[in-house]
Amino acid sequence: METSDRLNYNTFEATAERSKKLEEDLVRNPSKYRVLTGDRPTGRLHIGHLFGSLQNRVRLQELGVQTYIVIADYQVLTDRDAFESIAENILQITMDCMAAGLRPEGGNTFIFPHSHVPELNQLLLPFLTLVTMAELDRNPTVKEEIQAAGQKRINAGMYTYPVHQAADILFCKGNVVPVGKDQLPHLEITRVIARRFNDRFAAKKPVFPEPQPLLSNAPIILGLDGSQKMSKSRNNAIMLSATEEETASLIKKAKTDADRVITYDPAKRPEVSNLLLLISLCTGEPPETIAEKIGDGGSGRLKSILTEALNYFLKPLRQRRRELESDLGYIRKVLRSGIEQAQKAGAETLNEVREAMNMKI
Ligand code: TRP
């Protein structure tokens, strides 16, 4: 293998540098780019998703960048048996995205589950021939997920889903992928697959772009237990769809510490600092200033300020979500037109792929 063709999972520094340049160019030339990103439909979205990724997606959409949101329903099957609620979760996630400000009705944003796009899924087969077993086995994110799942028998979908994720991104020639750090190994596989496909089958006329990661500069939101990332499965999340009362009672139970004087110190006081950060994300005031104002008001004062700030901030989003909930027929229509657009983009790409691979008859 050529050096340039090696799959290197440790690219963080260079990636961060490139991501900064990409960010600048996105603002200047939004029409050069197509964003592709997505979620697994394992449940509704929470405020960690909102501050960590949804707001950024909306920002890119508002810059005028075409935005494809894939709901990765096949990926759910890699590490859990639960498939009963996939359809329900697809509808819930679509509503969360739309309530947060993604606007499929604007004609430049598309939301679709990948299981409904055969043209996308077909790409998996040639793509699997472009990576080695050893490369799949070395993927650090997959390794962590295998550990976290705690299963003895790991299905092959777990090892190969990053290749399927390459199909998610490349079927529509997505060239910008907003990601957190954990997704970088998958994006590296996508880039290598694009490069190897072009080198092997399409040297004269490359078919695929090498998609670039856009690293989020949003802070990581911890759960209300303060010890780990907010996540529905860890039971430490505030869902976007929670009521104001549910929000208040979750915050009341949030973990803090015994020091009455509130200070912003993420290293020494992660729980208190996380709550300050959440207030700051709602009000725009720096967390240090908020802490100073609370002074020796203790965690009671901290929590009541957070409850008020968060419920106020989420009010329009929740209002919009309730409107959407009352018309699921409309949500299904949004998904159908997202699927239609994805199928169209996928058919064009698949045609080029067949031509490049000498499979056109
Ligand atoms: N693996 C991603 C996650 O677990 C979801 C995902 C599937 C995705 N396909 C994608 C993200 C394509 C970005 C691009 O969150």
Side-chain angles (χ1 to χ4, degrees):
M1 257 179 230
E2 306 272 323
T3 330
S4 69
D5 198 33
R6 285 231 183 94
L7 174 52
N8 176 6
Y9 286 119
N10 311 307
T11 53
F12 190 71
E13 308 287 285
T15 302
E17 205 42 54
R18 259 189 280 138
S19 175
K20 244 190 256 157
K21 296 225 173 71
L22 173 60
E23 183 64 62
E24 288 162 20
D25 200 47
L26 271 163
V27 178
R28 278 197 303 265
N29 302 303
S31 61
K32 260 178 41 191
Y33 296 100
R34 177 174 285 176
V35 164
L36 185 299
T37 182
D39 308 282
R40 295 179 184 198
T42 52
R44 299 174 181 214
L45 303 182
H46 52 65
I47 60 170
H49 293 116
L50 179 68
F51 295 122
S53 63
L54 291 177
Q55 286 184 334
N56 195 37
R57 291 177 191 176
V58 174
R59 184 183 65 92
L60 293 166
Q61 167 189 267
E62 299 310 326
L63 285 177
V65 185
Q66 202 171 58
T67 304
Y68 282 65
I69 310 285
V70 62
I71 303 182
D73 46 359
Y74 277 134
Q75 271 190 24
V76 177
L77 309 179
T78 57
D79 69 348
R80 57 189 94 201
D81 302 325
F83 62 89
E84 297 86 355
S85 45
I86 290 183
E88 168 68 15
N89 290 340
I90 291 171
L91 294 175
Q92 295 297 342
I93 286 188
T94 306
M95 288 190 278
D96 286 328
C97 285
M98 290 173 70
L102 287 167
R103 292 181 294 105
E105 60 276 24
N108 221 22
T109 296
F110 308 98
I111 308 178
F112 58 94
H114 61 186
S115 67
H116 284 252
V117 187
E119 296 82 358
L120 179 162
N121 293 304
Q122 278 220 26
L123 294 179
L124 178 63
L125 292 167
F127 285 3
L128 281 171
T129 67
L130 296 170
V131 289
T132 66
M133 296 283 273
E135 285 170 336
L136 297 182
D137 207 32
R138 278 197 283 124
N139 186 309
T141 298
V142 170
K143 279 191 191 167
E144 270 169 38
E145 282 167 347
I146 287 175
Q147 280 218 312
Q151 292 159 347
K152 272 198 245 89
R153 291 158 58 86
I154 308 301
N155 69 54
M158 178 61 119
Y159 294 96
T160 50
Y161 88 76
V163 182
H164 192 224
Q165 190 156 328
D168 286 341
I169 297 168
L170 295 175
F171 90 99
C172 66
K173 305 195 181 181
N175 55 5
V176 176
V177 187
V179 282
K181 220 174 154 183
D182 65 318
Q183 295 292 307
L184 284 177
H186 302 346
L187 203 70
E188 223 28 61
I189 292 194
T190 302
R191 290 167 59 82
V192 158
I193 287 175
R195 209 178 309 145
R196 288 181 189 166
F197 186 95
N198 291 339
D199 286 352
R200 171 141 197 237
F201 300 115
K204 287 201 200 94
K205 197 172 134 224
V207 172
F208 293 114
E210 273 182 50
Q212 300 192 61
L214 186 68
L215 278 169
S216 149
N217 41 27
I220 303 266
I221 308 295
L222 302 179
L224 296 174
D225 51 4
S227 60
Q228 35 188 355
K229 208 168 129 175
M230 185 174 283
S231 137
K232 188 177 182 229
S233 60
R234 292 178 188 135
N235 248 329
N236 63 8
I238 299 175
M239 309 316 282
L240 295 176
S241 53
T243 63
E244 297 198 345
E245 295 72 31
E246 285 163 354
T247 303
S249 106
L250 285 166
I251 293 174
K252 209 170 255 166
K253 283 182 267 174
K255 190 160 176 249
T256 50
D257 56 40
D259 192 343
R260 272 201 72 77
V261 181
I262 299 303
T263 51
Y264 185 66
D265 186 347
K268 292 209 189 85
R269 306 183 70 184
E271 300 94 349
V272 163
S273 302
N274 187 51
L275 302 186
L276 286 164
L277 176 63
L278 284 172
I279 299 173
S280 166
L281 287 165
C282 293
T283 64
E285 225 179 339
E288 293 84 355
T289 316
I290 302 164
E292 240 164 74
K293 281 191 191 159
I294 299 174
D296 64 1
S299 54
R301 183 92 191 102
L302 172 63
K303 287 179 176 181
S304 78
I305 291 176
L306 173 57
T307 304
E308 198 179 320
L310 190 59
N311 278 337
Y312 180 76
F313 182 79
L314 291 178
K315 212 178 188 81
L317 183 156
R318 285 171 166 168
Q319 172 65 33
R320 170 104 180 99
R321 203 183 190 287
R322 275 193 296 276
E323 286 163 21
L324 295 168
E325 277 162 23
S326 70
D327 191 359
L328 290 185
Y330 176 60
I331 305 300
R332 290 204 168 87
K333 210 165 106 193
V334 162
L335 287 167
R336 266 200 303 279
S337 70
I339 291 167
E340 214 172 280
Q341 168 72 19
Q343 288 176 344
K344 207 170 107 205
E348 281 169 27
T349 305
L350 189 57
N351 191 41
E352 288 177 52
V353 163
R354 285 200 178 119
E355 201 162 281
M357 296 187 310
N358 280 323
M359 291 184 185
K360 262 199 118 151
I361 50 166

